[in-house]
Amino acid sequence: LALLLCQLSAVVSQNYQLVQTYTAENFFDEFTLYSGADPTGGYVRYLTYDEANNMSLISNDSNIVRLAADAETQYPPEEGSGRPSVRAESKGKFTEGLFVLDLLHIPTGCGAWPAFWTGGLGDWPADGEIDIIEGVNNAASNRAALHTAGECTVSSTVLQTGKSISTDCNVDHDGNQGCAVEFDSPYGLDYGIQFNSYGGGMYAMEWTNSTINIWFFRPGTYPASLRTDVQTFAPVTPDPTTFGVPSASFSGPCSSSFGDKFFNHTIIFDITFCGGWAGPQYFNSDCSAIRGDTDPTQACIDMAAYMMYEYQETYWAFRSLRVWQ
């Protein structure tokens, strides 16, 4: 109870002001497309804006931002490339705040590894990483995580609806698993095929210097203070104290130093394939080998290389991303 009261008192003290709204109208002005090598070692080729636009992998039609991977062509490993995809990075950098994503579609598909996250790209991992939405292959639930440098553990006995998978946030621990929480929303609506079939949902991440909380809200359950005024179309002031129990909550021994471990973050949407997580976990998500492979990473690469129709649903689609500080 004492821990809960401490968390709530930190939230109550916030007086949020809207500092950034990303929509279809301005998203590609405010985000750049990264086209370098994939830091996670994925079977992917990240495209420039012109390349992605020419392949129709990005769009802002009908007030919806869409970011996709290629689903038209085979990319054999011997050609040395990878499946074309996108990684969008915000031009603005943020330290703390409330980040709210009105999301319509999460990328799915065997071999796919999508993520929506914030990270300090200047000196990672010293400036930290917050994974808000992440999963691999045919995962049915979201996994949120923190990744840091140095000693950093969080508590598993916090008030949250999800299940703590690990509590050590250091990137050198357990293959950079991070301190992670597996979501546990009814019917698996927070991620994957079920999320998409139900019409999407809203994710909110509140980041303070002592607590990081993440909520998932299915359609019809959005907090009143996150809805847009139907007459003026102006956002009302968000009130996280009305959001209910978070899906994931990170606090505890290390949280007193969150201000030193998470700062100057870029907002990132990406879609990679296989790599350090989706590859080894390939057979754990009802994904099959198409060429008789027994090694999960090789089976994953073969899927990503040859089965382009597996990726018809491998795209992000969202209405808006808003940031309050």
Side-chain angles (χ1 to χ4, degrees), residues 36-319:
D38 180 23
T40 67
Y43 190 75
V44 66
R45 182 169 69 89
Y46 286 128
L47 304 182
T48 65
Y49 174 87
D50 288 339
E51 290 172 327
N53 191 44
N54 289 338
M55 293 183 68
S56 300
L57 299 186
I58 58 174
S59 65
N60 58 349
D61 301 327
S62 303
N63 296 319
I64 295 172
V65 179
R66 187 177 185 274
L67 309 169
D70 176 77
E72 300 292 334
T73 307
Q74 293 182 339
Y75 296 93
E78 57 268 23
E79 294 182 359
S81 55
R83 182 156 297 279
S85 185
V86 294
R87 170 172 160 148
E89 302 177 350
S90 67
K91 294 179 180 178
K93 292 180 172 58
F94 304 89
T95 299
E96 304 180 12
L98 178 66
F99 302 74
V100 179
L101 178 65
D102 186 358
L103 184 61
L104 297 172
H105 192 279
I106 288 176
T108 61
C110 283
W113 177 2
F116 166 57
W117 52 292
T118 71
L121 302 183
D123 189 22
W124 186 94
D127 32 19
E129 174 182 332
I130 304 171
D131 298 327
I132 305 167
I133 305 175
E134 189 173 24
V136 295
N137 302 310
N138 282 330
S141 59
N142 181 46
R143 181 176 292 191
L146 308 184
H147 302 267
T148 66
E151 183 176 345
C152 184
T153 59
V154 294
S155 175
S156 62
T157 57
V158 293
L159 188 62
Q160 62 183 13
T161 61
K163 176 184 178 182
S164 292
I165 302 298
S166 56
T167 57
D168 193 328
C169 309
N170 185 279
V171 296
D172 295 324
H173 174 73
D174 198 17
N176 191 22
Q177 179 174 242
C179 46
V181 175
E182 193 85 18
F183 281 35
D184 186 24
S185 63
Y187 311 110
L189 297 178
D190 57 79
Y191 194 82
I193 295 173
Q194 288 295 100
F195 174 93
N196 296 336
S197 64
Y198 199 75
M202 182 177 286
Y203 271 89
M205 185 270 283
E206 185 183 37
W207 164 18
T208 75
N209 63 7
S210 61
T211 306
I212 295 173
N213 289 326
I214 301 173
W215 291 264
F216 166 69
F217 307 106
R218 67 183 188 274
T221 69
Y222 299 166
S225 65
L226 289 181
R227 299 175 195 154
T228 301
D229 188 282
V230 295
Q231 293 181 332
T232 66
F233 299 101
V236 294
T237 303
D239 181 6
T241 65
T242 67
F243 290 2
V245 177
S247 306
S249 183
F250 301 96
S251 62
C254 175
S255 59
S256 60
S257 63
F258 273 3
D260 298 324
K261 294 185 177 297
F262 302 95
F263 54 91
N264 292 339
H265 279 199
T266 299
I267 303 172
I268 304 165
F269 294 86
D270 66 38
I271 307 169
T272 187
F273 298 90
C274 305
W277 186 14
Q281 295 296 316
Y282 183 76
F283 288 138
N284 295 336
S285 305
D286 295 324
C287 292
S288 60
I290 63 170
R291 310 181 87 182
D293 295 303
T294 57
D295 176 72
T297 297
Q298 187 57 54
C300 184
I301 290 173
D302 284 340
M303 173 66 75
Y306 296 107
M307 301 300 287
M308 58 280 197
Y309 300 118
E310 177 73 14
Y311 304 115
Q312 296 291 329
E313 297 295 320
T314 311
Y315 66 91
W316 293 101
F318 54 92
R319 294 188 184 94

